[in-house]
Amino acid sequence: MSQHGQYNAEGHQAAGHHTPYDTSQEPGYFPPQGRSSDGQIGGLAAQMGNMGIGADATNPPRPNKKKHRHAHHLDQAAGSQFNSPTPTPNSFQDGRPAFQQMGSSSFTPMQDSYGASPGLSGNPYSGQPITPAMTQFPAQGGSQFSPPPGTQFSPGIQSSSAGYGSPGFGSSSFGTPNNALPTPSGPGVSAQGKVDPEQVPSVARARDLAAEYYLDHIYPTMEHHLPPPGAVPYVAHDQGNSSPKYARLTLNNIPSTSEALASTALPLGLVLQPLAPLQEGEESIPVLDFGDAGPPRCRRCRTYINPFMTFRSGGDKLVCNMCTFPNDVTQEYFAPTDPSGVRVDRAQRPELTTGTVEYLVPKEYWAKEPVGLRWLFLIDVGQEAVSKGFLEAFCEGILGALYGKDEGHRQNGEDDQNLSPRRNIPEGSKVGFVTFDKRMHFYNCSDKLERAQMLVMPDIEDPFVPLGSEGLFVDPYESKSVISSLLTQLPDLFAQVKNLEPALLPTLDAGLAALKSTGGKIICSLSTLPTWGPGRLFLRDEGKLHGIETEKKLFQTEHPEWRKTAAKMVESGVGVDFFIASAGGGYMDIATIGHVSAVTGGETFLYSNFTSPRDTFKVAQEVKHTLSRETGYQALMKVRCSNGLQVAAYHGNYLQNTFGADLEFGVIDADKSIGVMFSYDGKLDAKLDAHFQSALLYTTSSGQRRVRCTNTVASVTEGASMAGMRFIDQDAVVNVIAKEAATRMTEKPIKDIRSALTEKTVDILAGYRKAFSGTHPPGQLVLPENLKEFSMYILGLLKSRAFKAGHEPSDRRTHVMRLIKSMGALELSLMLYPRIIALHTLSPESGFPSLQTGHLVLPSTIRASFSRIENGGAYLVDDGQICLLWLHTNVSPNLLEDLFGPGKSSLADLDPMLSSLPVLDTHLNAQARNILAYWASVRGSKAMSIQLARQGMDGAEFEFARLLFEDRNNEQQSYVDWLVNVHRAIQLELVGQRKREDGNGEGAIAGITALKPPYW
């Protein structure tokens, strides 16, 4: 069989080859067919038949009002320290500049080939059409541009100059020239008068354009002021302002007064992910040691030294950028300044040139003696864990995480006997093992023993650690043979024991006792509801509370002993990650058990329908990721901001004893983020920038006590202005709104939260419509350029398991609620809108490195709608939590054999327990595996394992349908109908007729005016 051929459904090779995105192409692996429009889109969409998108009037460039005081922030060519080629200030890619050397202002704009400013718009790749073919009734008076030469269009998309606005300054708008709804006509409108869903803003296309741009461009943090989309990988160059991977502001241009901010209805917040992983090509975080004196700080507000502090009096005074207090510079830190006020040693001082730095801190910052991280594995060995294979899967995961497939590194020709071990956890880290059912079993794994010794603790009312905290923990590489033997034998050892009820809370208390003196991290497996001993749990969710006021009780624990244990763990610097397997989706009281992991800064991995061996690979990969990702413990966080602002609230998984106190974490890792909301306590000075600094004091897994500082800057404008709208970070806005909504789930009914989310969407878009697009006819829905996909993300949030209407088990709601509270921009973006690619139409070069650039060539993603699914198709769907491989009933037998191997020519031949693709020498198989490997590197904490969803055969097909967020599903409208509802509410707002409606259905404007700002 040809590895490059394309096949029809009967298996015959198609003659010739076409690019899969050419409209004249015969799609590979199945017969030619017309792409169907979404015939199912009805309802209110029919009332909006004549949607069109045009361009907003081009706004004049914002004048440079910044002082020259930050001109010294760039003293070398941006990107000069990167492995990738560095574009010169005058070099162009595809007709647009890479970046310019910064001028006298800290917010100097850049001009692209159309005259628009990527620095202002933050959308340097928007030379492509804003959204394709929005041409039925384009807005009048907008600045129109012809499409760039060579612009490519996807099948079924028509090109028109009306689809192009001024990149960066434009707004997307669609609607009618007046309030009437005339007979729909024009491109994209079907004969039945329904709107083609292709006409509305596309998340998939926006991501693809951004990803293509950042393949060849870096993100300079001071020259560009709008971060790339959250789901797009990029290389950031830290120029004094922290990388968006660590800190993202919702507004990078802040109004000077609270009234001006309120008129936009936008939240002022910061999404922090302080230990976010670096991408290849980015410089590591500098680690600085100032000895016993510690890092320089402001004496008044305790802000750490950063690039935005200035020096006066020849270098004797250090002026704080937060509170403007002039501090005396110590003799040890003194250096003279040049005539412009810049320290002569500034280029050698990373704390003065880099936005994210780490400081080693002296003993006064210590809570206890720092040691390497102690990992304690609490392993459920009850009958359920053994019988359904979860114990074996978990033990395999630990072995793979500690030792991996590579047995070691060969050095200087040493033989196998002297092979140096390959360390997957840092030097100084130690591990310990405890198993539990109705009793606890402690294991001595000393390297002096031939096999592990078990010590049984039958007293679960008042347990203690029989080995002592030191005897329990060993170096995993010195005791490799003992640990490997133990983990291999555990499933057989407990196969004959018939204890059904595990005692979880006493085991956690024993683990806390073992780690109390040092701090550390607990990795705990669980496979059934813990109904034995102190802290026993029972079935709280009997389905009677769903959809009523008291349902919120199911989302939080009411057990005082569990709360007490969680608080003690944080105090001792201990955190917990749970791996919970629930066969058949049985109730596990995630609200109570997960409370411990949430408060301590850990994570809960939930396998709601665990099946072995299908999910064994996923468990193993996630255990490995838990041990390998950057992890700190005994952590405290403080966020500081400029005069005129104050912290109003935090949203995330942490412990805060009183408002205003530091956030406390038992552990914190690279995947965790925190949302911070700010309010005004005065007026900001529009002549100065607004500054934000987060300081995370923590102990590294290697045993060093450090402070990681991230510094973020934003410009300030008088009142709400169009300039401010150009600096909106859509992903940060969605993230802080989602985090606040998740926080309110334990306080408000879900119905009210859903209404509040809808209300907030209308408020933001109506605020923009009233203030900045008054020249457009009232019948048009005008979307801010940087919030085009905002409505889709909020709809995805409403369709998530946390907030969806209808019946949903409380365990899943609670689990997703806590996930949202801890998700960074990347993971949340994928969960609210999955990435989908078609395998059956891959071009030959897709999935392989480009011969010109070396970058992996990725196919275009498609919209999350069944209208985009083709007969005979094969699709990969990834939402960052699971990855589905959906196969149509009529999929080509040749495609199946290319993908899965000889003899797999029908859906029935495939193994439903499949979790990864086999390694074959076929072209399609290599393409799919390469794409999956790339996706695995661009996601959050969840492992990349595939699950088959064969049409009409597998239960996973229901999950596939749920992830098509643009369709009507999850007890919620389709994307088009949702936009129609939002548009009608905005029209009512514009004419002052927007009223509160008591709607119980989703067909009308249900709950759209339920709550007024503040919207909770």
Side-chain angles (χ1 to χ4, degrees):
M1 182 193 307
S2 171
Q3 296 179 6
H4 299 272
Q6 302 209 1
Y7 305 89
N8 57 30
E10 286 74 33
H12 302 296
Q13 186 171 3
H17 173 72
H18 302 273
T19 304
Y21 305 107
D22 186 346
T23 55
S24 63
Q25 177 212 359
E26 293 182 5
Y29 294 114
F30 57 89
Q33 56 187 328
R35 181 180 302 279
S36 62
S37 298
D38 185 5
Q40 305 301 319
I41 301 296
L44 291 171
Q47 304 173 29
M48 289 289 291
N50 52 335
M51 283 186 176
I53 280 196
D56 201 355
T58 302
N59 291 276
R62 169 175 164 242
N64 297 329
K65 64 174 181 59
K66 290 292 167 215
K67 291 185 176 181
H68 290 244
R69 63 193 182 94
H70 295 326
H72 60 271
H73 286 164
L74 293 178
D75 50 14
Q76 61 182 352
S80 61
Q81 302 178 24
F82 279 90
N83 298 331
S84 57
T86 304
T88 62
N90 295 320
S91 65
F92 287 75
Q93 289 270 3
D94 300 325
R96 60 191 72 255
F99 52 81
Q100 283 185 334
Q101 178 66 28
M102 190 171 174
S104 60
S105 167
S106 61
F107 286 85
T108 302
M110 309 181 312
Q111 298 299 320
D112 69 4
S113 57
Y114 294 116
S117 168
L120 290 176
S121 71
N123 194 6
Y125 40 86
S126 60
Q128 301 290 343
I130 294 177
T131 40
M134 302 281 196
T135 58
Q136 289 96 302
F137 291 91
Q140 303 299 316
S143 176
Q144 306 294 326
F145 289 84
S146 298
T151 300
Q152 298 283 330
F153 290 91
S154 300
I157 299 178
Q158 304 173 12
S159 62
S160 169
S161 62
Y164 295 79
S166 173
F169 296 106
S171 303
S172 301
S173 59
F174 53 95
T176 61
N178 48 57
N179 286 321
L181 295 175
T183 303
S185 61
V189 180
S190 67
Q192 290 78 21
K194 298 178 181 178
V195 179
D196 184 352
E198 192 65 52
Q199 306 304 305
V200 294
S202 169
V203 174
R205 181 168 176 77
R207 287 177 180 170
D208 287 347
L209 291 175
E212 182 180 0
Y213 177 84
Y214 282 105
L215 278 178
D216 302 314
H217 299 77
I218 65 171
Y219 176 79
T221 61
M222 286 296 292
E223 296 175 34
H224 288 187
H225 308 296
L226 195 69
V232 172
Y234 60 93
V235 172
H237 174 43
D238 190 334
Q239 300 173 317
N241 192 26
S242 286
S243 165
K245 295 175 182 178
Y246 303 111
R248 298 178 78 113
L249 274 170
T250 56
L251 301 174
N252 292 279
N253 186 296
I254 301 173
S256 58
T257 64
S258 59
E259 293 78 14
L261 179 66
S263 68
T264 67
L266 289 163
L268 176 56
L270 183 66
V271 180
L272 293 168
Q273 194 172 345
L275 299 182
L278 293 169
Q279 183 168 318
E280 185 178 355
E282 294 181 325
E283 288 191 330
S284 58
I285 305 300
V287 181
L288 311 176
D289 187 359
F290 286 89
D292 292 339
R297 303 179 67 178
C298 174
R299 284 169 44 208
R300 177 191 286 174
C301 68
R302 305 302 293 160
T303 297
Y304 288 85
I305 183 77
N306 63 74
F308 304 101
M309 287 187 174
T310 55
F311 291 86
R312 293 181 185 170
S313 303
D316 285 326
K317 294 290 184 181
L318 175 65
V319 181
C320 178
N321 59 313
M322 298 290 182
C323 67
T324 69
F325 180 76
N327 298 269
D328 293 330
V329 177
T330 62
Q331 188 63 36
E332 295 78 13
Y333 194 65
F334 174 80
T337 58
D338 62 19
S340 64
V342 179
R343 281 175 61 120
V344 295
D345 66 343
R346 181 178 177 275
Q348 289 76 46
R349 291 283 188 181
E351 72 273 16
L352 300 180
T353 58
T354 309
T356 304
V357 294
E358 284 199 332
Y359 303 108
L360 295 175
V361 293
K363 290 186 177 181
E364 62 190 80
Y365 290 81
W366 295 3
K368 57 187 71 174
E369 184 78 22
V371 296
L373 183 58
R374 272 36 176 172
W375 299 86
L376 181 60
F377 294 92
L378 306 182
I379 306 174
D380 178 9
V381 291
Q383 183 177 342
E384 277 290 303
V386 175
S387 62
K388 62 187 177 186
F390 187 58
L391 173 58
E392 183 177 1
F394 192 65
C395 290
E396 287 181 7
I398 298 173
L399 281 171
L402 289 177
Y403 308 115
K405 295 181 179 179
D406 185 356
E407 293 295 332
H409 295 302
R410 197 180 304 278
Q411 298 177 356
N412 300 324
E414 60 187 352
D415 57 26
D416 291 341
Q417 294 181 352
N418 298 319
L419 201 63
S420 60
R422 177 178 182 265
R423 296 193 70 97
N424 291 335
I425 61 175
E427 195 86 33
S429 296
K430 295 185 178 183
V431 298
F433 298 91
V434 178
T435 59
F436 67 98
D437 43 29
K438 287 185 176 181
R439 300 181 296 180
M440 287 173 273
H441 322 98
F442 296 81
Y443 296 89
N444 183 354
C445 296
S446 171
D447 60 332
K448 298 179 176 60
L449 301 173
E450 291 186 2
R451 55 186 299 176
Q453 292 179 344
M454 177 197 291
L455 290 88
V456 180
M457 174 60 62
D459 182 10
I460 62 174
E461 297 292 336
D462 188 19
F464 64 93
V465 182
L467 294 169
S469 59
E470 286 303 316
L472 184 61
F473 295 98
V474 297
D475 185 297
Y477 302 99
E478 294 176 358
S479 303
K480 177 180 176 182
S481 60
V482 179
I483 293 173
S484 299
S485 175
L486 171 65
L487 294 176
T488 304
Q489 295 174 9
L490 277 180
D492 294 332
L493 183 63
F494 288 94
Q496 306 304 320
V497 181
K498 303 296 183 182
N499 287 333
L500 291 172
E501 303 171 291
L504 179 57
L505 185 61
T507 308
L508 291 174
D509 287 334
L512 171 60
L515 292 168
K516 188 173 184 180
S517 61
T518 61
K521 186 161 187 178
I522 293 173
I523 310 293
C524 180
S525 69
L526 185 69
S527 57
T528 188
L529 188 68
T531 56
W532 187 263
R536 65 179 64 87
L537 302 177
F538 59 92
L539 181 63
R540 290 199 296 154
D541 185 1
E542 297 179 346
K544 299 177 180 179
L545 300 180
H546 290 189
I548 62 176
E549 179 79 18
T550 53
E551 184 181 10
K552 59 180 180 285
K553 292 181 179 180
L554 298 175
F555 308 144
Q556 55 190 322
T557 180
E558 297 179 345
H559 205 299
E561 291 301 317
W562 286 82
R563 290 181 178 272
K564 183 178 178 181
T565 296
K568 284 183 177 179
M569 284 184 170
V570 176
E571 183 181 346
S572 301
V574 177
V576 187
D577 279 1
F578 285 108
F579 288 78
I580 300 177
S582 170
Y587 181 69
M588 297 293 291
D589 201 351
I590 299 297
T592 298
I593 298 172
H595 173 81
V596 178
S597 61
V599 169
T600 61
E603 185 170 358
T604 298
F605 295 85
L606 178 63
Y607 309 93
S608 57
N609 189 22
F610 178 83
T611 304
S612 179
R614 183 194 67 194
D615 297 323
T616 300
F617 176 75
K618 183 175 177 66
V619 172
Q621 290 300 108
E622 289 175 352
V623 172
K624 182 177 181 180
H625 179 72
T626 297
L627 265 72
S628 61
R629 63 186 173 188
E630 184 172 2
T631 302
Y633 66 105
Q634 297 180 39
L636 298 172
M637 177 183 278
K638 181 76 171 180
V639 178
R640 297 176 174 90
C641 53
S642 294
N643 284 343
L645 295 173
Q646 62 183 357
V647 175
Y650 293 100
H651 301 295
N653 295 330
Y654 55 82
L655 178 66
Q656 187 179 28
N657 290 314
T658 58
F659 181 75
D662 295 347
L663 304 186
E664 300 180 47
F665 306 86
V667 295
I668 187 168
D669 59 62
D671 297 315
K672 301 300 180 294
S673 78
I674 299 293
V676 189
M677 303 294 290
F678 300 97
S679 61
Y680 290 79
D681 63 358
K683 182 179 179 181
L684 295 176
D685 187 349
K687 297 179 182 178
L688 303 175
D689 292 336
H691 297 274
F692 306 85
Q693 183 184 82
S694 76
L696 178 71
L697 174 64
Y698 73 107
T699 305
T700 67
S701 55
S702 59
Q704 287 186 325
R705 194 71 171 159
R706 298 180 183 177
V707 171
R708 176 168 292 198
C709 289
T710 60
N711 300 280
T712 309
V713 64
S715 57
V716 180
T717 53
E718 290 284 358
S721 66
M722 190 63 191
M725 300 304 290
R726 299 183 197 119
F727 289 112
I728 301 172
D729 184 343
Q730 177 174 257
D731 286 280
V733 172
V734 171
N735 201 289
V736 296
I737 289 177
K739 279 179 164 56
E740 183 165 5
T743 301
R744 304 303 177 197
M745 277 185 63
T746 58
E747 305 169 8
K748 301 285 185 182
I750 290 178
K751 180 180 67 174
D752 291 354
I753 296 175
R754 291 169 52 80
S755 298
L757 288 169
T758 305
E759 175 80 3
K760 191 65 175 176
T761 305
V762 173
D763 288 340
I764 290 174
L765 298 181
Y768 176 81
R769 186 72 169 88
K770 288 187 288 188
F772 306 114
S773 58
T775 59
H776 288 282
Q780 288 184 331
L781 173 57
V782 185
L783 304 175
E785 171 62 21
N786 293 325
L787 288 176
K788 292 198 309 293
E789 298 84 30
F790 174 71
S791 298
M792 182 65 247
Y793 280 122
I794 295 297
L795 180 61
L797 186 62
L798 291 171
K799 292 186 175 187
S800 71
R801 283 201 161 97
F803 303 109
K804 68 183 289 289
H807 177 79
E808 186 72 20
S810 63
D811 272 354
R812 288 198 177 189
R813 282 201 194 274
T814 309
H815 177 62
V816 176
M817 171 193 79
R818 289 186 177 135
L819 281 179
I820 290 173
K821 289 169 68 175
S822 67
M823 279 181 174
L826 165 63
E827 197 167 6
L828 183 64
S829 179
L830 287 178
M831 194 183 80
L832 300 186
Y833 196 94
R835 48 193 174 191
I836 307 175
I837 63 166
L839 292 178
H840 56 286
T841 56
L842 289 179
S843 62
E845 63 272 12
S846 294
F848 292 101
S850 167
L851 296 178
Q852 289 75 30
T853 66
H855 296 305
L856 188 72
V857 178
L858 292 172
S860 298
T861 56
I862 67 172
R863 304 180 74 135
S865 172
F866 199 77
S867 64
R868 307 294 296 176
I869 303 302
E870 297 172 320
N871 182 35
Y875 295 87
L876 283 172
V877 185
D878 176 31
D879 72 341
Q881 308 299 306
I882 62 171
C883 182
L884 300 176
L885 174 53
W886 186 85
L887 299 169
H888 192 275
T889 301
N890 298 329
V891 67
S892 164
N894 289 333
L895 181 146
L896 294 177
E897 291 200 351
D898 280 358
L899 200 55
F900 299 102
K904 308 291 185 181
S905 57
S906 70
L907 295 184
D909 294 332
L910 303 182
D911 181 7
M913 296 292 106
L914 188 76
S915 60
S916 60
L917 292 177
V919 179
L920 306 175
D921 59 359
T922 62
H923 194 77
L924 179 65
N925 180 271
Q927 287 177 300
R929 286 187 289 107
N930 288 344
I931 292 170
L932 288 172
Y934 169 77
W935 278 4
S937 67
V938 189
R939 59 195 287 116
S941 61
K942 306 304 183 293
M944 171 63 76
S945 67
I946 64 171
Q947 184 172 347
L948 281 184
R950 298 167 293 179
Q951 188 180 27
M953 297 180 67
D954 296 316
E957 193 181 5
F958 292 101
E959 185 69 11
F960 171 73
R962 188 188 74 83
L963 293 176
L964 300 178
F965 285 153
E966 292 198 21
D967 295 339
R968 182 178 180 89
N969 53 26
N970 295 285
E971 308 289 334
Q972 182 66 37
Q973 299 161 324
S974 69
Y975 183 24
V976 171
D977 285 347
W978 161 254
L979 280 177
V980 170
N981 275 340
V982 170
H983 179 39
R984 292 183 54 173
I986 292 172
Q987 287 181 304
L988 293 174
E989 178 72 20
L990 293 178
V991 297
Q993 297 179 2
R994 184 175 167 205
K995 298 178 181 179
R996 188 186 305 272
E997 293 191 14
D998 184 18
N1000 295 322
E1002 298 294 340
I1005 316 178
I1008 213 160
T1009 54
L1011 299 172
K1012 288 290 183 183
Y1015 58 102
W1016 300 114

